[in-house]
Amino acid sequence: MKKLAAQPLYKQVIREVMAAVEAGEWQEDESLPSEVELGQRFGVSQGTVRKALDALVAESVLYRRQGVGTFVAGMSDFLMRGRFALLTDPKGEVPKIELLGCVKIHAGEQLAEILGLRRGAALWQVRRLLRVAGQIVGLEELLLPEANFPELEMRRIRELKGNLRELCWRDFGVRLQDGETRYRAVCAGSAEARLLQVELNEPLLQLVRLAKDFSGKPQVWSVAWLKTEELAFEPSVSA
Amino acid sequence: MKKLAAQPLYKQVIREVMAAVEAGEWQEDESLPSEVELGQRFGVSQGTVRKALDALVAESVLYRRQGVGTFVAGMSDFLMRGRFALLTDPKGEVPKIELLGCVKIHAGEQLAEILGLRRGAALWQVRRLLRVAGQIVGLEELLLPEANFPELEMRRIRELKGNLRELCWRDFGVRLQDGETRYRAVCAGSAEARLLQVELNEPLLQLVRLAKDFSGKPQVWSVAWLKTEELAFEPSVSA
DNA sequence: AAGTGGTCTAGACCACCAA
DNA sequence: TGGTGGTCTAGACCACTTT
């Protein structure tokens, strides 16, 4: 492998491996060739392959099992990684997701800019409710450009048990990369207050994230609102 | 350096460097010895030192400047590790800490229970302001039992540039362990509104943490309020 | 026993920055 | 020019899992 554009070798390896994963060269939970073999394939040493795989493991594109191999990771959902626990019942609970609806809206100025679209472009708005032990604890709203996700339907979302990452990949060929999450405190607006069954202006923890595909193109804008009055939320270390 | 308890060398180096930082061997924004020198000191190679420093840089305990050196990051304190960036100026900024005051108060019922004290026990209340690029972005309040920290004074806190962890260890022999942080959204009370210069009831991101010593005894209760209107905050991945 | 990931080394070269 | 971080190698050994 040559030094192109002054890019370090390990970054080139990241791109190559990522491309192979996207091309479906190895299936989910199927093991990649060993680090040594990958090194031979790309003409770099095992250490360099390892550094590249480290990055992809950190992004949870891959996972490793010592003594066994490196595997293509399944895709868990992209928002709401973390521990949730009700204060009244402080066990580590996995929240249940309830799909509320999927409607078509049009992008306002800000949203259009964020997603790199023209103003007024069609978007899917998907809303989901989060419950822990039956109690409503959060609301998630996702916005996806209709152009990239034609004919997105509730039925299809439901079939995948709410795993939108996998849906984007399987049905639309869009492989999402986790973006960074911004944490904010906001007041409940009318829509949030109604859906979360809280008072207007009640403070909520807001998580905002822009997920891009691996070419860097913005694909999904997601916002979540969490009730933190009775809920302990601790962001996860990653996957 | 020997292989103790089957711990990899780089993890031992992490612990050693972390301990040295906590002990104040190098001041904030002061450069560490070079990677080669650290390798000689710990009896490991440069590559191993590098792997250890990588982890500490990822946790923003250290930062690097290519061609110059590796430095101790500000905010080696125990709350609010993470990246801060103003939306108007989205560079990774290191917040400055401004000590507001240190007064003696008495524990209410809840606080007494949390810290394992009797009601009305004397506590030190330390308040600090966080600024990024001059702007006020956060307020931190720490509560420490007077019995364990006799004669805590502002002067002593100031001398250590706000590193309360180090003060607890050096002056009082209390070695603090990071606890888990709970993230909440709350409305600004009168005290917070005044100190942060925001409206009453403005939503704020609240971080709450109970730090214990290594025997498991609660020692410091800390609460921080962050303005998230113009500030992007991303919690850091900690060890 | 064989194959994998996990760690570590000694040495090398480059890019960057300061004096 | 000299020192620093940033990258890379070839080879080695260990720990773990499967056969």
Side-chain angles (χ1 to χ4, degrees):
Chain A
M1 186 167 286
K2 291 175 188 175
K3 280 221 168 189
L4 293 175
Q7 276 282 69
L9 290 180
Y10 77 92
K11 289 194 178 176
Q12 297 180 48
V13 173
I14 290 176
R15 285 219 312 275
E16 297 272 358
V17 172
M18 197 58 230
V21 169
E22 283 185 18
E25 182 169 338
W26 314 294
Q27 297 306 308
E28 254 181 41
D29 299 314
E30 185 186 335
S31 85
L32 277 61
S34 74
E35 295 178 351
V36 174
E37 284 174 307
L38 284 174
Q40 290 165 352
R41 166 164 163 184
F42 299 125
V44 300
S45 71
Q46 175 261 350
T48 301
V49 171
R50 184 164 188 82
K51 184 160 185 176
L53 297 190
D54 280 347
L56 292 172
V57 168
E59 280 188 45
S60 45
V61 172
L62 307 174
Y63 64 94
R64 287 196 265 233
R65 285 175 55 198
Q66 171 157 184
V68 184
T70 305
F71 304 83
V72 178
M75 288 180 285
S76 57
D77 224 349
F78 49 92
L79 196 51
M80 311 285 209
R81 290 206 187 139
R83 277 200 301 278
F84 293 79
L86 289 176
L87 297 185
T88 51
D89 180 25
K91 304 170 209 159
E93 287 278 352
V94 179
K96 302 278 181 209
I97 297 176
E98 178 185 332
L99 184 62
L100 291 179
C102 171
V103 299
K104 199 185 291 188
I105 64 169
H106 294 278
E109 194 159 3
Q110 286 195 351
L111 213 45
E113 191 179 348
I114 290 168
L115 287 167
L117 304 170
R118 71 181 188 289
R119 189 169 168 177
L123 294 176
W124 294 112
Q125 180 199 57
V126 180
R127 279 187 167 155
R128 308 193 287 183
L129 214 52
L130 266 79
R131 290 178 189 269
V132 172
Q135 284 194 52
I136 296 174
V137 298
L139 168 70
E140 187 183 28
E141 183 174 304
L142 303 141
L143 294 162
L144 309 89
E146 198 220 9
N148 304 350
F149 302 93
E151 300 180 44
L152 183 68
E153 290 163 19
M154 280 183 69
R155 186 179 46 75
R156 297 166 78 178
I157 299 174
R158 235 190 277 275
E159 276 170 10
L160 285 169
K161 297 183 181 175
N163 189 334
L164 239 136
R165 271 181 92 106
E166 195 180 332
L167 183 136
C168 291
W169 172 235
R170 288 220 311 219
D171 291 3
F172 303 100
V174 175
R175 186 141 199 143
L176 294 174
Q177 205 177 9
D178 278 358
E180 297 190 341
T181 304
R182 183 179 167 204
Y183 291 70
R184 298 185 62 201
V186 299
C187 287
S190 57
E192 295 93 67
R194 183 170 44 84
L195 293 167
L196 287 170
Q197 300 176 13
V198 298
E199 297 295 316
L200 203 64
N201 293 325
E202 173 138 336
L204 297 171
L205 175 57
Q206 188 188 54
L207 280 59
V208 183
R209 175 180 287 183
L210 178 65
K212 304 180 177 184
D213 61 26
F214 279 84
S215 74
K217 193 174 163 192
Q219 292 284 3
V220 182
W221 174 251
S222 57
V223 185
W225 292 267
L226 298 179
K227 291 166 67 171
T228 56
E229 194 54 49
E230 302 151 348
L231 176 78
F233 172 69
E234 173 125 15
S236 79
V237 170
S238 73
Chain B
M1 188 169 283
K2 292 176 188 174
K3 280 220 168 189
L4 292 175
Q7 276 283 73
L9 290 180
Y10 77 91
K11 289 195 178 176
Q12 296 179 50
V13 173
I14 290 176
R15 285 219 314 275
E16 297 271 359
V17 172
M18 196 61 220
V21 169
E22 285 184 11
E25 182 168 338
W26 313 293
Q27 297 306 309
E28 261 180 35
D29 299 312
E30 184 187 336
S31 85
L32 276 60
S34 74
E35 295 178 350
V36 174
E37 283 174 308
L38 284 174
Q40 290 165 351
R41 165 164 162 183
F42 299 125
V44 301
S45 71
Q46 177 261 349
T48 301
V49 170
R50 185 165 186 80
K51 184 159 185 177
L53 296 190
D54 280 346
L56 292 173
V57 168
E59 280 185 45
S60 48
V61 172
L62 306 176
Y63 63 95
R64 284 195 267 231
R65 286 174 55 197
Q66 173 157 181
V68 184
T70 305
F71 303 82
V72 178
M75 291 292 294
S76 48
D77 226 349
F78 45 90
L79 197 53
M80 299 197 276
R81 286 216 187 127
R83 278 198 297 278
F84 292 79
L86 288 176
L87 297 185
T88 51
D89 180 26
K91 303 170 209 157
E93 286 278 351
V94 179
K96 300 281 179 209
I97 299 176
E98 178 185 334
L99 184 60
L100 291 179
C102 172
V103 298
K104 199 185 290 188
I105 64 168
H106 294 278
E109 194 160 4
Q110 286 194 352
L111 214 46
E113 192 179 349
I114 290 167
L115 288 167
L117 304 170
R118 70 181 189 289
R119 190 168 168 178
L123 295 175
W124 294 112
Q125 180 199 57
V126 180
R127 281 186 167 157
R128 309 192 287 184
L129 215 52
L130 263 80
R131 291 177 189 270
V132 172
Q135 285 193 51
I136 297 174
V137 299
L139 169 70
E140 187 182 30
E141 183 175 304
L142 304 140
L143 294 162
L144 309 87
E146 197 220 10
N148 304 349
F149 301 94
E151 300 178 47
L152 184 67
E153 289 164 21
M154 280 182 70
R155 186 180 46 77
R156 298 166 77 176
I157 299 174
R158 233 189 278 275
E159 276 170 9
L160 287 169
K161 297 183 181 176
N163 190 332
L164 239 134
R165 269 182 96 103
E166 192 183 332
L167 183 136
C168 290
W169 173 235
R170 288 220 309 218
D171 289 5
F172 303 100
V174 174
R175 188 142 201 137
L176 293 173
Q177 208 175 6
D178 278 358
E180 296 189 342
T181 304
R182 184 180 166 201
Y183 291 71
R184 299 184 61 201
V186 298
C187 287
S190 58
E192 295 93 65
R194 182 171 45 84
L195 293 167
L196 287 169
Q197 299 175 15
V198 298
E199 297 296 314
L200 203 64
N201 292 327
E202 173 138 337
L204 298 171
L205 175 57
Q206 187 188 55
L207 281 59
V208 184
R209 177 180 285 183
L210 178 64
K212 304 180 179 184
D213 60 27
F214 279 84
S215 74
K217 193 174 162 190
Q219 292 284 3
V220 182
W221 174 251
S222 55
V223 185
W225 293 266
L226 297 178
K227 290 166 69 173
T228 56
E229 195 53 49
E230 302 150 350
L231 176 78
F233 172 69
E234 173 124 15
S236 80
V237 178
S238 75

